[in-house]
Amino acid sequence: MSFSVGSVYQLINKASGTAADYSQRDFRSLIGYKAHGGPAQQWMFEEACDGLYFIRCTKSEMPYISYEGTPRSGDKAICTRSPRPWKIVHDSNHQGCFKVLHPDGKLCLDLNYGRSDDFTPIILYQPTSNSNQAWTFKPLTNFSPNMAPRFRLTNKATNTVAGLASNNRSVVGEDRVNNRSAQVWSVETVDASKNRYRIKNVGTGQYLSFNGNLSASNPLLATPDKKEWEIRLQGNSFPQVVKLYAPGSNYLVDLSGSNSKPGTPVILYPTQNPGINQQWKVERAD
């Protein structure tokens, strides 16, 4: 098993099966908690220097795994806006697992006594062969709406964003404009187990939709019709990259002709390979 910079993972403890979690009680503690995959358990790696990494939560505050002062064995790990570098190595005692070490190698992240209780502290402790210091990095596999409650849909081919034309109805590609609410979207969950969501425009309160039947080049609109979409995650990067399918079909949201010109229609079109203009980055708009 390996990991990639910029990708999103859960850090699962081998001893307990619980996940490293940015505590929502005090917005500071790093704890073990039942694995649920929510934003407080989503972590990405950023390159530091000399083969070291920062570990950052995707929760809106985006804190880093850190510690106070000069670390000592038994100190609690914490989450702060100030990054600390970590050395990530394969755990030779536990196949497929990693150890997360202080750069000097004398301390590592340790789930206290390997307990599976929620809110168990994650501490710094001298390395041992115990499984409570072994972590698997589980990639994110499904769309996570809480990672970006309000977002822009940025086309991967053109870097233009899906917004509403001047009629506040037609969905078109546009240059990004800060504070333009017609370019901001949110989702309403229909059935997360099937990746089913409604997509709502923040500026108008209307829903991403279309008229008539599924057909190639049918333009997308913002209407009161609460159409459902199947949001399929493409990889496990941050921000998330998705394809938006009409459920039960091979039709999906497409920027017509991969054209970066403002006003280009966003349409339905059969899935293409590789179809970069059918991939959308879900970028926070908060």
Side-chain angles (χ1 to χ4, degrees), residues 27-152:
F27 300 98
R28 180 174 174 82
S29 299
L30 182 67
I31 57 173
Y33 199 93
K34 177 177 65 179
H36 54 69
Q41 295 183 358
Q42 296 171 2
W43 304 90
M44 61 181 176
F45 298 92
E46 298 178 351
E47 288 185 352
C49 59
D50 301 322
L52 303 177
Y53 299 90
F54 302 126
I55 307 174
R56 192 173 198 180
C57 186
T58 68
K59 185 74 177 170
S60 56
E61 300 87 0
M62 299 191 74
Y64 294 90
I65 295 179
S66 188
Y67 49 84
E68 288 186 318
T70 302
R72 297 170 298 176
S73 185
D75 285 355
K76 291 182 178 179
I78 59 174
C79 300
T80 76
R81 297 297 295 272
S82 301
R84 299 272 196 175
W86 299 91
K87 183 178 181 181
I88 313 294
V89 300
H90 286 280
D91 191 324
S92 59
N93 297 293
H94 302 280
Q95 186 174 3
C97 295
F98 294 90
K99 259 187 165 53
V100 182
L101 294 152
H102 183 273
D104 67 12
K106 295 179 181 179
L107 297 170
C108 68
L109 293 184
D110 175 299
L111 181 69
N112 203 22
Y113 294 106
R115 295 198 305 263
S116 60
D117 301 357
D118 289 344
F119 300 102
T120 296
I122 295 175
I123 63 173
L124 294 165
Y125 203 79
Q126 58 264 32
T128 70
S129 61
N130 295 337
S131 61
N132 63 321
Q133 296 181 352
W135 302 87
T136 57
F137 298 164
K138 181 180 177 182
L140 190 68
T141 56
N142 289 317
F143 173 65
S144 176
N146 291 326
M147 198 184 290
R150 290 158 48 99
F151 54 86
R152 290 182 177 85

Side-chain angles (χ1 to χ4, degrees), residues 224-236:
D225 186 7
K226 298 181 179 181
K227 283 241 182 342
E228 296 179 12
W229 298 91
E230 182 182 342
I231 303 182
R232 298 185 193 174
L233 193 65
Q234 307 296 300
N236 64 322

Side-chain angles (χ1 to χ4, degrees), residues 83-252:
R84 299 272 196 175
W86 299 91
K87 183 178 181 181
I88 313 294
V89 300
H90 286 280
D91 191 324
S92 59
N93 297 293
H94 302 280
Q95 186 174 3
C97 295
F98 294 90
K99 259 187 165 53
V100 182
L101 294 152
H102 183 273
D104 67 12
K106 295 179 181 179
L107 297 170
C108 68
L109 293 184
D110 175 299
L111 181 69
N112 203 22
Y113 294 106
R115 295 198 305 263
S116 60
D117 301 357
D118 289 344
F119 300 102
T120 296
I122 295 175
I123 63 173
L124 294 165
Y125 203 79
Q126 58 264 32
T128 70
S129 61
N130 295 337
S131 61
N132 63 321
Q133 296 181 352
W135 302 87
T136 57
F137 298 164
K138 181 180 177 182
L140 190 68
T141 56
N142 289 317
F143 173 65
S144 176
N146 291 326
M147 198 184 290
R150 290 158 48 99
F151 54 86
R152 290 182 177 85
L153 288 170
T154 302
N155 191 266
K156 196 172 177 184
T158 63
N159 279 323
T160 54
V161 302
L164 301 185
S166 58
N167 63 5
N168 277 336
R169 179 175 170 82
S170 300
V171 181
V172 297
E174 299 183 324
D175 293 329
R176 180 192 303 268
V177 178
N178 290 334
N179 301 318
R180 175 163 156 69
S181 61
Q183 294 181 348
V184 180
W185 304 84
S186 63
V187 297
E188 296 176 352
T189 301
V190 178
D191 187 342
S193 68
K194 296 180 179 178
N195 298 315
R196 297 283 185 89
Y197 299 88
R198 302 185 188 99
I199 302 174
K200 187 176 183 179
N201 186 267
V202 170
T204 64
Q206 303 293 293
Y207 292 84
L208 186 66
S209 185
F210 54 89
N211 286 334
N213 298 322
L214 294 172
S215 59
S217 301
N218 193 356
L220 294 187
L221 306 169
T223 78
D225 186 7
K226 298 181 179 181
K227 283 241 182 342
E228 296 179 12
W229 298 91
E230 182 182 342
I231 303 182
R232 298 185 193 174
L233 193 65
Q234 307 296 300
N236 64 322
S237 62
F238 182 85
Q240 297 175 99
V241 177
V242 300
K243 289 185 175 180
L244 309 172
Y245 281 85
S249 79
N250 70 334
Y251 284 87
L252 72 166

